[in-house]
Each structure stands twice: as C-alpha cells, then as structure tokens.
Amino acid sequence: MASDRPGEDTIQDPLFILETGEVYRNPTEVKMSQIVLPCHANHCGELSAGQLLKWMDSTACLSAERHAGCSCITASVDDIHFERTIGVGQVVNIIAKVNRAFTSSMEVGILVTCEDLYTDRQWKVCHAFGTFVARRTEAGKVQLKQVIPRTQMEQMEYSLAAERRRMRLIHAEIITDLLSSSTAQLGECQEYQDAVPAERTRVESVELVLPPHANHQVSTFGGQIMAWMENVATIAASRLCNAHPTLRTIDMFHFRGPSHIGDRLVLKAIVNNAFKNSMEVGVCAEAYQGGEPLRHINSAFMTFEVLDSDRKPRTLPRIRPEPVDGKRRYQESIARKKIRLDRKYIISCKQTEVPLSVPWDQSNQMYLSYNNVSALKLMAARNNWVLNSEKNKVSLYTLEENQMLCFKVETHVDVPAEQTFHLLSDLRRRQEWDRHYEECEVINQADEDDTIYRVATPSVSKDGKGQDFILLASRRKPCDARDPYLIALRSVTLPTHPPTDDYTRGEVLCAGFSIWEESSTVTKITYYNQATPGVLPYISTDIAGLSSSFYCIFSACSHFLEANRDSLAALPPSALCTVTRQDCHGPAPYERKSSNQ
C-alpha cells in the first residue's frame, strides 16, 4: 500500500539558482532511487522497514564519505517516524546530505519519499538524521572540513544541527534520569485478564556477518544491523497479536561498538508493553567471535501497530510481564511512551500547530528547551526581513509570513560578546533598561542552561490590567565560531503559577537574542519576537512609525551593557538562584552537566 491519501503530500524537488544563473546543488548531496521488488517486500506487498533502513544508511554513508573524503561509519540514527508505507512496484527516492560537520563527526539529513510511477506523484515517508564518524587514517584522526551553507534551508539545518547534537550528547543521561524519576511513581504493573505472557513474544536469532553485509573496511553496515534488529522485533510483535504488525517509530539507534566480518550477531527481542493501539518492542544486538564474551552493539525500542482492513489501528491484547526484569521493562515502557509523545508533540509539530504555552515538567524539559532554541534559530535564518525604520543606530525589521508578524531589532555595542551574553541572560537585570519589565523573578532553575521566570509588564492602556508571562529562557553558547550566543524565550505553563485576577496572562511563542562576536570588543545584538496578541500592543505603534519607544529601549540596553562591560556581576542565573528554586519548589529538579563543558 502506498499511502492513505497518496496525492495529499506531493513533494517538489526545489532548484536553487545562483546569481551566476547556475543551478546550485549541495556538493555532499547523494540521491538513491530503488524500485520496490517482491524480494524487498513483506507479506502485504509493502516494502520491509529493514530494507528501507539499509538503503537509508547506505545513502547517508555515501554522503558522509563524499564530504569527508575517507570511509565513515554510522554512529547513531535519531528517532524515525514512518508516516506512510511503500508498495511493490513503487519507487523509493532517498536524498541525503551533510548538514554540518564537527571535529570528526557529521550530521547527515535523510529524506525518504515514495513515487507512484502511474500518477507521477510523490509523498514523504520519513525524515531522519544520522551521525557518521570519519575513520582514522594512517595520518591519525580526521579533521573534517566545515560545511558552508549556501541556501536559507541549508542555513537552517546547519544551525539546528548544533542543537540536535547537544540533545544527542545528553540523550542517554536524560533518558536515565527521566525513567528513574517516572518509574518510581508508576507503582505495580496492572494485571489484565487474558493477558499474553511476555515470554511468548521472546525472539532470539543469530546472524553470521559475511562479506556482503560489510563495507570496504570489513565493518558491518549499520543499516544491515538495523535491518536484522527490525526483523526480530517484527517477529516478537507478531507473536503478541497473531497478525502482521506495521512499524511506526524507532527510538534513537546508538552504535556502542563495531562489528566485523566473521562476527556472530545475537539478536534478541521481546514485547515490553502493549497499549491500546500500539506496542513497544525492545531489541538488542550483541556480537562475539569464537569463545570471546558477548559485545553489546546496539539496543533500540520500536513501536508497532496492527492495522485493520480500513488501515486503522486495531485494539491489541495486553501483556503479562515476566517477573523482575520484565516488570522493570514494562514500567519503563510507560515512561518512554510519555517521552515519545513529548518529543512528537513539542518537536515534530509544525510551528503553526504548536500552542503558545506548553505545560512544563521535568520529563519534557529537554524537548521544550530544544524547541525553544530551534524556533529562534529558524526565525533568525529567514532572509526576507524588511527594514521598517532606523534611528540612532537601532534598526527595526519586520517579516510577514503565513499571517504571522515577526519583528527584529538590531544594534551594535562596544562590549565583548560573552559579557553581553551573561548580562542579557539574567532576565531580572532587564528591568534596568526595559521599561516593559516591571517585575521579574526566577521561579524555577530547570537546569544549568534553562531558567523559568515570571515577568510582569505594565498595562498598555490607562485603565487596563497589566500582563504577566511565564517564560522559559534557554541559553546557548556557540558551538564554534560560525554560531552566535543565543538566549531563547517562550511561554510555558506551571501548575504552581496559574493566571491571577490581578494580571492578564500573556504568551510568547518565540522571542530572544542572537549575539554575534564581530571583533574582540564589538558585538552585534539582534532581538527577535514573533508578535503574538499579548505582545503586539507593545510594538504596534513602533512598526506603524507612530512611536520610537523601541529605539529608546534598545539605546538604553546599549548604555546598560557598556556601563557593565567590566562587571563581575554578570554571572549565569544558575549561579544565583539555588535558594530561590529551593524556596519555590522544594528539592531542585534533576541537574546535569552542560554539554558545553
């Protein structure tokens, strides 16, 4: 089956024309097109997800090697959500390109579409990000050359790649923290009548790694390992429901070690939990040669559905977990389901579909922070800003797109960028230069780089009430010289701070500062804001040219920064707020080291 509505998401392959008139193509881009044959398909005549993973990995690896100029290996693949299935006779088109290179690793973006040769239509199947590492050469560790983004889309992906890398680096630690905090509250597993014993779904299989399974460096293809893992996971899922399941999502794959020709790969899978319409299957891959002990290669969690004749998810039988480890996996799967929903809800939603305020809690902190920073980066990457007016070296730009008004204010200061970053990071000091900040208090120190504030602003009319905002402020230092310092702001909701009668609760979808170091002493500051109804009254007269309050405010900001350029008080909020968060919320939420350290 191709899709539920094959014509709905037609994919266009955009062309970029340079000023010279030439058609631009990313030098790292690799395309693969494969017609789906019966040997690639499952019993339903649909492309096997394992075969698709192999093609995706091969295409991405070729892109990575094109950029690196040497052989590369798969380090990890981010979460994959399969939106559609692909039928026999249809064409799979895969495009991979390097979004950003770091020291010896790089992020490769992978887009999979399906093409129906009879209707000449294409639609998206999935979008993934893989991390590849350049293998050492005889000269030693490889230092990758930088990627130079040429288009707006490439600039966006380049910028967001740094934030995705940050998430990967702390992914395992965060998941461990969230699972331990969540499972402690879940209690005992529920007993269901007629539940299927988990032991019935257990699968164990062994594969011998042969030359066709390996690359030219005799290491097993990452895609091949993923395909074998998908195979045993599908069998486990089938045993629960006595039907053929459809793979919907795969949590992040992380390769913990290499596998080589001659290895025996032991693959194990079991259904951890079954929900109403979906089930989670845990699967691991271990390798050995001869009498050596097993080496852990990979673990993953895959979510399956069983579709009825109308392509709707069927209700699934419940699972009875095994004692001890089975109950632990059962409980952890509930926490992982919540994490998956948070990721999908916060990160995967289109910007126009995200509600202004999202409930904050410890379990979704990482994803809210990612979304907060990513939204600001996407706004900053827009190249169609229009200069509205300029006064006293302060420029006001506007951007109207999709019935949404955005604005940015830009100025320069003679203050080092890092000092500017620290001074602007603590929103409590904004009262010193911004008359719109009547009150500002820290109400939660989420982690080292994320702080939740309550900000109160005066009324925009004589008789009206003031507004207050609950803001998540996410700070980011540059990943390298091609990145700015960032301070991203967005509204969140906290049960401890509901709206009150004294203030109208305002909301901020996306706002914040981008701070660029132009020299050791000169810094460019750009403030962005997506003008929501709660914010618009404060700036509408400026945009209409009827007021110059914003110029006065940002001139005051420049004076504030220059007056404090040598101040030692410009410390991160986390160094100042320990007492505050203890007073407001009891014990502090989980803390972790920043990936920048």
Side-chain angles (χ1 to χ4, degrees):
M1 188 194 114
S3 75
D4 299 331
R5 295 173 297 278
E8 192 171 277
D9 295 334
T10 302
I11 303 294
Q12 299 294 330
D13 189 11
L15 297 176
F16 298 99
I17 311 297
L18 302 179
E19 292 180 0
T20 59
E22 298 177 53
V23 175
Y24 167 72
R25 181 177 176 181
N26 187 300
T28 70
E29 183 179 280
V30 171
K31 294 184 178 182
M32 176 186 287
S33 293
Q34 297 277 359
I35 191 162
V36 178
L37 302 175
C39 61
H40 303 137
N42 59 22
H43 70 289
C44 293
E46 297 171 350
L47 175 64
S48 157
Q51 180 62 62
L52 179 57
L53 290 169
K54 289 168 67 173
W55 286 339
M56 291 168 64
D57 181 68
S58 298
T59 311
C61 187
L62 290 172
S63 175
E65 292 185 342
R66 175 174 283 183
H67 180 73
C70 62
S71 62
C72 298
I73 55 175
T74 312
S76 67
V77 180
D78 290 1
D79 300 353
I80 304 175
H81 175 68
F82 297 98
E83 298 179 19
R84 307 288 174 86
T85 55
I86 304 170
V88 169
Q90 294 176 327
V91 173
V92 179
N93 294 310
I94 304 172
I95 301 176
K97 60 183 177 181
V98 177
N99 291 329
R100 184 162 184 165
F102 301 97
T103 305
S104 58
S105 68
M106 67 205 94
E107 179 191 277
V108 180
I110 311 159
L111 175 65
V112 180
T113 61
C114 178
E115 178 183 354
D116 190 313
L117 296 175
Y118 296 99
T119 62
D120 196 29
R121 288 177 174 171
Q122 295 189 50
W123 53 90
K124 180 181 172 184
V125 175
C126 66
H127 190 197
F129 299 98
T131 300
F132 289 79
V133 176
R135 294 181 67 108
R136 287 177 177 268
T137 64
E138 293 180 359
K141 192 174 182 180
V142 175
Q143 175 72 45
L144 294 171
K145 61 186 177 184
Q146 289 296 308
V147 171
I148 309 298
R150 300 285 297 276
T151 68
Q152 179 178 322
M153 183 60 69
E154 288 179 4
Q155 180 59 53
M156 286 182 182
E157 293 294 0
Y158 178 92
S159 184
L160 294 176
E163 189 64 15
R164 286 190 288 262
R165 180 173 184 259
R166 181 181 187 274
M167 275 226 305
R168 289 181 202 112
L169 292 174
I170 60 176
H171 180 267
E173 184 181 347
I174 296 275
I175 292 294
T176 300
D177 287 341
L178 295 183
L179 291 179
S180 61
S181 63
S182 298
T183 53
Q185 304 170 13
L186 294 176
E188 290 299 315
C189 303
Q190 300 182 53
E191 293 291 339
Y192 292 97
Q193 190 176 8
D194 301 325
V196 176
E199 181 61 31
R200 186 190 298 176
T201 71
R202 184 181 296 279
V203 180
E204 181 171 325
S205 180
V206 65
E207 298 283 353
L208 174 62
V209 180
L210 300 172
H213 305 138
N215 59 22
H216 46 294
Q217 298 293 326
V218 303
S219 295
T220 316
F221 278 117
Q224 179 62 72
I225 296 174
M226 290 189 283
W228 283 333
M229 294 174 74
E230 186 271 338
N231 178 60
V232 294
T234 301
I235 296 171
S238 300
R239 289 180 176 174
L240 173 72
C241 56
N242 296 322
H244 295 283
T246 298
L247 179 62
R248 282 305 183 206
T249 63
I250 304 176
D251 287 11
M252 180 186 286
F253 276 103
H254 179 72
F255 289 92
R256 303 177 185 277
S259 167
H260 307 286
I261 291 175
D263 276 349
R264 279 72 170 169
L265 250 65
V266 179
L267 302 135
K268 301 174 184 177
I270 191 169
V271 175
N272 291 329
N273 203 341
F275 306 99
K276 182 179 180 181
N277 300 121
S278 66
M279 70 186 93
E280 181 195 273
V281 179
V283 56
C284 74
E286 299 172 312
Y288 72 94
Q289 276 200 13
E292 67 178 23
L294 290 169
R295 310 189 312 273
H296 186 192
I297 301 298
N298 206 331
S299 292
F301 300 98
M302 303 186 186
T303 304
F304 290 85
E305 293 176 343
V306 178
L307 304 180
D308 61 21
S309 58
D310 295 324
R311 307 301 294 176
K312 302 296 183 183
R314 271 174 37 186
T315 300
L316 298 177
R318 289 294 190 170
I319 197 86
R320 183 184 307 121
E322 300 171 304
V324 191
D325 280 351
K327 289 188 175 182
R328 173 185 56 79
R329 291 193 301 268
Y330 179 98
Q331 292 175 320
E332 289 177 349
S333 68
I334 299 172
R336 275 191 296 269
K337 182 182 180 185
K338 181 186 186 309
I339 293 167
R340 277 192 285 271
L341 289 173
D342 285 339
R343 279 198 300 251
K344 184 177 180 181
Y345 179 66
I346 295 169
I347 296 176
S348 302
C349 284
K350 296 177 182 177
Q351 204 61 28
T352 55
E353 297 172 354
V354 178
L356 295 187
S357 291
V358 175
W360 179 92
D361 63 43
Q362 184 175 318
S363 67
N364 68 10
Q365 158 59 27
M366 177 173 70
Y367 311 113
L368 273 173
S369 179
Y370 169 87
N371 178 268
N372 193 15
V373 174
S374 299
L376 182 62
K377 287 186 171 186
L378 287 170
M379 194 189 303
R382 300 290 186 192
N383 57 12
N384 49 343
W385 292 94
V386 176
L387 179 63
N388 188 280
S389 54
E390 192 169 15
K391 183 178 179 181
N392 298 332
K393 298 182 180 179
V394 178
S395 302
L396 176 64
Y397 296 82
T398 56
L399 171 64
E400 294 184 66
E401 199 169 69
N402 298 325
Q403 298 182 328
M404 187 74 72
L405 173 66
C406 303
F407 69 91
K408 71 175 181 177
V409 184
E410 199 166 84
T411 190
H412 288 75
V413 293
D414 293 326
V415 181
E418 186 169 17
Q419 181 75 348
T420 300
F421 172 66
H422 288 314
L423 286 165
L424 294 179
S425 288
D426 188 352
L427 296 193
R428 293 171 302 178
R429 300 205 65 178
R430 189 159 164 177
Q431 296 170 263
E432 299 178 40
W433 57 269
D434 187 349
R435 63 180 179 82
H436 291 148
Y437 271 55
E438 195 170 62
E439 299 174 24
C440 184
E441 61 173 327
V442 173
I443 58 176
N444 196 322
Q445 187 64 45
D447 64 22
E448 208 166 310
D449 291 322
D450 295 87
T451 310
I452 300 177
Y453 295 88
R454 178 186 172 271
V455 175
T457 64
S459 171
V460 291
S461 62
K462 288 183 179 180
D463 302 322
K465 291 191 295 185
Q467 289 194 105
D468 68 345
F469 300 81
I470 305 299
L471 298 179
L472 171 65
S474 303
R475 306 157 6 106
R476 295 291 188 272
K477 291 184 177 180
C479 186
D480 57 39
R482 298 178 62 86
D483 283 322
Y485 292 88
L486 285 174
I487 305 162
L489 307 172
R490 68 156 298 149
S491 285
V492 294
T493 58
L494 285 175
T496 53
H497 289 76
T500 63
D501 294 336
D502 298 332
Y503 290 91
T504 301
R505 178 58 51 88
E507 294 182 306
V508 172
L509 179 57
C510 177
F513 294 92
S514 175
I515 300 165
W516 287 94
E517 181 179 39
E518 297 206 336
S519 71
S520 59
T521 58
V522 177
T523 298
K524 182 175 79 172
I525 303 172
T526 308
Y527 174 75
Y528 296 89
N529 199 308
Q530 191 165 320
T532 55
V535 174
L536 195 58
Y538 295 100
I539 52 92
S540 57
T541 53
D542 290 85
I543 292 175
L546 302 176
S547 169
S548 60
S549 62
F550 249 75
Y551 302 104
C552 297
I553 290 171
F554 278 87
S555 293
C557 177
S558 299
H559 293 316
F560 161 76
L561 294 170
E562 289 166 2
N564 290 276
R565 60 173 297 147
D566 300 317
S567 170
L568 297 178
L571 293 173
S574 56
L576 304 170
C577 305
T578 303
V579 174
T580 306
R581 67 176 184 269
Q582 293 284 354
D583 290 345
C584 292
H585 291 275
Y590 68 96
E591 307 237 357
R592 61 180 180 275
K593 293 183 179 179
S594 166
S595 60
N596 293 321
Q597 292 183 338

